């Protein structure tokens, strides 16, 4: 059972451990913890897929629920507790774990322009039999 009651120390520890997991981990827990922190930072840009969130192991799940409950009941933002540089590290690790960096390099040209396919060569003229 997950309890939502938490002291300030519990919330601080939860945030620190979720951040450490999200920035240094390489497994699915790291990816899910990172996605959770990114959603708390900017839910419009990083929506949370709740069906994937359920795959967190019990300890990080409890910490995530405690952090979420704290932020929602107090009306505070994660911006008050994390810097932009810190959340950028989370985003970098999550994108590496999900392969987004690799996929984005395939889709975009290094200077940001999309590769355009060359125009097809025109078909030869039709021949008629004599």
């Amino acid at each position: 059972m997950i309890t939502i009651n938490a002291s300030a120390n519990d919330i601080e520890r939860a945030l620190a451990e979720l951040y450490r997991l999200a920035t240094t981990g390489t497994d699915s827990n790291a990816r899910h913890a990172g996605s959770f922190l990114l959603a708390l930072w900017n839910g419009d840009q990083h929506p949370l897929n709740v069906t994937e969130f359920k795959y967190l192991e019990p300890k990080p799940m409890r910490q995530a629920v405690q952090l979420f409950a704290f932020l929602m009941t107090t009306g505070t933002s994660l911006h008050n507790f994390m810097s932009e540089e810190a959340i950028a590290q989370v985003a970098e690790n999550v994108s590496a774990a999900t392969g987004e960096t690799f996929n984005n390099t395939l889709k975009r040209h290094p200077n940001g322009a999309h590769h355009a396919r060359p125009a097809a060569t025109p078909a030869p003229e039709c021949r008629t039999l004599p």
Side-chain angles (χ1 to χ4, degrees):
M1 176 175 209
I2 296 176
T3 59
I4 298 181
N5 296 330
S7 68
N9 289 337
D10 293 334
I11 300 302
E12 185 177 349
R13 186 178 315 109
L15 179 57
E17 289 183 18
L18 286 170
Y19 173 76
R20 184 176 36 77
L21 177 62
T23 56
T24 61
T26 57
D27 61 0
S28 65
N29 275 321
R31 184 169 37 93
H32 296 308
S35 297
F36 173 73
L37 292 175
L38 289 169
L40 288 178
W41 181 266
N42 184 343
D44 291 333
Q45 187 176 0
H46 305 282
L48 180 64
N49 184 345
V50 179
T51 58
E52 287 188 15
F53 181 68
K54 69 182 176 185
Y55 297 117
L56 267 173
E57 289 181 1
K59 183 180 178 183
M61 172 66 79
R62 179 178 39 79
Q63 293 170 332
V65 170
Q66 287 175 335
L67 180 60
F68 179 77
F70 169 76
L71 293 175
M72 296 302 113
T73 58
T74 60
T76 58
S77 171
L78 192 59
H79 292 86
N80 296 345
F81 303 101
M82 290 181 74
S83 66
E84 287 189 35
E85 294 81 20
I87 204 67
Q89 289 175 341
V90 171
E92 183 178 318
N93 196 47
V94 169
S95 68
T98 58
E100 285 181 16
T101 305
F102 177 73
N103 289 338
N104 287 342
T105 58
L106 292 177
K107 294 177 187 172
R108 280 184 276 209
H109 190 271
N111 68 4
H114 292 283
H115 285 288
R117 281 190 154 176
T121 55
E125 287 188 34
C126 190
R127 293 186 188 177
T128 56
L129 295 172

